[in-house]
Amino acid sequence: MQDGFSTLATASATLLGLVLVAVVFAYRSTFTRLDRIADFKDLARWIWTSGFSCFLYFGICLLVSFRMMEKETSKPALVIILAFFSVVLIVTHVFETRFLHKMARYDPPHFRGIVIAQDLLVTFVLVFFEVYIWYAVAHGSAAVFQLELYTALSYTLIEPGSGRVQFQPQSRCLMLSNSSADISPAAYLSCAIPSGVSGTSFPRTISVR
Amino acid sequence: MQHAFTALGKASASLFGLVLIALVFALRSAFSTLEEPEDFHEYSNWISMAGVATFLYFGFCFVVAFRLLEDATSTPEVVLITAIFTVLVIAAHGGELLALQRLVSRFEECRKLALAQVVLVVALFGLTEVLMWTSLAGTSDATVDHRVYLAVSWVLFAASVRAVALVGSGFWALSLMLASGRVQPAAQFRIEEGD
């Protein structure tokens, strides 16, 4: 299993770093597309907390892999790490969901889809992680525990990044395309919208640039 | 334990490179958002120094991982590396906090952010120093190897948390600076950049 955990640790570290790069790009692209800085606040908070929760999933894979590669893994130490991360993950997800719902108030009909999808995804990822991890911990035999934990972590690694990142660009488009006029796109982007075209069709005109 | 040390070295190296990319893009976006280069001065000094401090943590992790991969790790060598790292990281954190203090003196709005950063820096530095020096106090070489590995794996994670917080704080500072109304957003520059 040493090879497995070694690869898991390397893959987690790479993904962890890439989440950081993805968060920077998400911020950067939003920053240049919103005219008023106040419009950026709620989206920025949501991006940061959702990025941080992804980071926590990858972080736990990294830390647990390192612990599993020790000559003698201390199960109580692992349980403490997993319990600590479970609590932090729940808190982060709560904040993330709160910020998303706050952001959705800008334009409820447009955001309904993304809010439902995100809520379902967050619940699924968290429940899957908690159930699988604690099921693995509940195994008495060391060999079975090792194998179950490895399987759980390998699935955890693919879960957070798979669907969640795709929703962030979509939400940025929704923020810009809202028809409530609470948010205005950056000046240079507004210039690119032909006159007579409503704000709702704005995302489709991004390619104009 | 060779597998573990190899993974530690690879993980540190990946994070080292990716954090570099993240910081370059964070700085680039600040540069293209502010109209006047002098508005960028304190901010870029802070991000650069904080970036250097973060690289030192990741660099330290992979240097130690490479030492652990040797057939017989020399404990005095690891002690020397840790001591040099401690001096360098104190200098980097000192520079970082000084740059942050200059940013706060110009933009009062960044006071909360600065406080959060100071807490984070002190926590990361304190954790690293306690973990490293207690692990180096092991009795046998085998014990030292294992304890150093344990300590470095935690330092790696703590430094990653700091890197994520730094990226968030960088954009937070930038939005506070722009919201203060004392800096000019670079609309024209953004048109040319076409991001």
Side-chain angles (χ1 to χ4, degrees), chain B residues 77-105:
Chain B
E77 200 181 340
V78 179
V79 171
L80 188 68
I81 292 169
T82 310
I84 293 171
F85 161 77
T86 304
V87 173
L88 290 176
V89 91
I90 287 173
H93 280 322
E96 176 192 343
L97 296 177
L98 192 72
L100 193 58
Q101 195 247 325
R102 283 184 185 147
L103 183 77
V104 173
S105 64

Side-chain angles (χ1 to χ4, degrees), chain B residues 36-154:
Chain B
E36 300 291 333
E38 57 262 33
D39 292 336
F40 181 66
H41 189 68
E42 293 93 354
Y43 177 83
S44 67
N45 279 350
W46 166 53
I47 293 282
S48 304
M49 290 311 290
V52 167
T54 314
F55 296 137
L56 282 172
Y57 284 99
F58 291 128
F60 171 71
C61 292
F62 80 67
V63 165
V64 171
F66 287 138
R67 295 289 74 75
L68 291 173
L69 276 167
E70 287 173 22
D71 287 338
T73 308
S74 154
T75 308
E77 200 181 340
V78 179
V79 171
L80 188 68
I81 292 169
T82 310
I84 293 171
F85 161 77
T86 304
V87 173
L88 290 176
V89 91
I90 287 173
H93 280 322
E96 176 192 343
L97 296 177
L98 192 72
L100 193 58
Q101 195 247 325
R102 283 184 185 147
L103 183 77
V104 173
S105 64
R106 192 166 164 206
F107 300 97
E108 277 289 317
E109 297 83 357
C110 296
R111 191 166 289 279
K112 257 190 201 168
L113 176 144
L115 200 66
Q117 281 296 312
V118 170
V119 170
L120 211 59
V121 163
V122 171
L124 174 64
F125 180 72
L127 179 84
T128 307
E129 291 302 310
V130 169
L131 283 173
M132 282 315 297
W133 292 110
T134 49
S135 67
L136 286 167
T139 45
S140 70
D141 280 350
T143 320
V144 170
D145 270 18
H146 179 248
R147 288 168 71 159
V148 167
Y149 165 75
L150 208 67
V152 169
S153 64
W154 278 106

Side-chain angles (χ1 to χ4, degrees), chain A residues 110-144:
Chain A
H110 275 87
F111 273 94
R112 191 172 297 128
I114 200 164
V115 167
I116 293 168
Q118 275 294 311
D119 287 351
L120 286 175
L121 209 60
V122 163
T123 313
F124 172 74
V125 170
L126 183 68
V127 169
F128 180 89
F129 171 77
E130 295 295 338
V131 169
Y132 216 149
I133 287 287
W134 293 110
Y135 169 77
V137 169
H139 278 282
S141 137
V144 180

Side-chain angles (χ1 to χ4, degrees), chain A residues 134-197:
Chain A
W134 293 110
Y135 169 77
V137 169
H139 278 282
S141 137
V144 180
F145 163 63
Q146 205 177 31
L147 183 65
E148 289 292 339
L149 194 62
Y150 172 75
T151 315
L153 290 178
S154 60
Y155 282 118
T156 300
L157 202 61
I158 197 168
E159 267 192 17
S162 58
R164 315 208 49 218
V165 179
Q166 293 166 15
F167 288 101
Q168 291 192 359
Q170 198 187 340
S171 67
R172 290 200 294 276
C173 286
L174 281 169
M175 272 192 87
L176 287 169
S177 68
N178 87 91
S179 50
S180 63
D182 282 339
I183 299 167
S184 50
Y188 74 102
L189 282 173
S190 331
C191 296
I193 307 173
S195 58
V197 176

Side-chain angles (χ1 to χ4, degrees), chain A residues 3 13-14 16-17 20-21 24-25 27-28 31-33 37 48 55 59 63 66-67 69-71 85 188 209, chain B residues 1 3-4 11 15 18 25 28-29 33 146 149-150 153-154 157 160-161 164 167-168 171 174 191 194-195:
Chain A
D3 276 336
T14 310
L16 202 140
L20 196 66
V21 177
V24 171
F25 271 102
Y27 272 142
R28 184 175 150 71
F31 222 72
T32 50
R33 277 170 169 77
I37 201 66
W48 196 82
F55 165 84
L63 275 179
F66 282 138
R67 293 291 75 77
M69 281 189 281
E70 286 176 49
K71 271 179 194 157
F85 270 88
Y188 74 102
R209 294 184 311 112
Chain B
M1 291 291 287
H3 277 100
L15 284 168
L18 289 167
F25 275 99
R28 189 176 176 270
S29 39
T33 310
H146 179 248
Y149 165 75
L150 208 67
S153 64
W154 278 106
F157 179 72
S160 311
V161 173
V164 174
V167 165
F171 281 92
L174 201 55
I191 300 169
D195 180 44

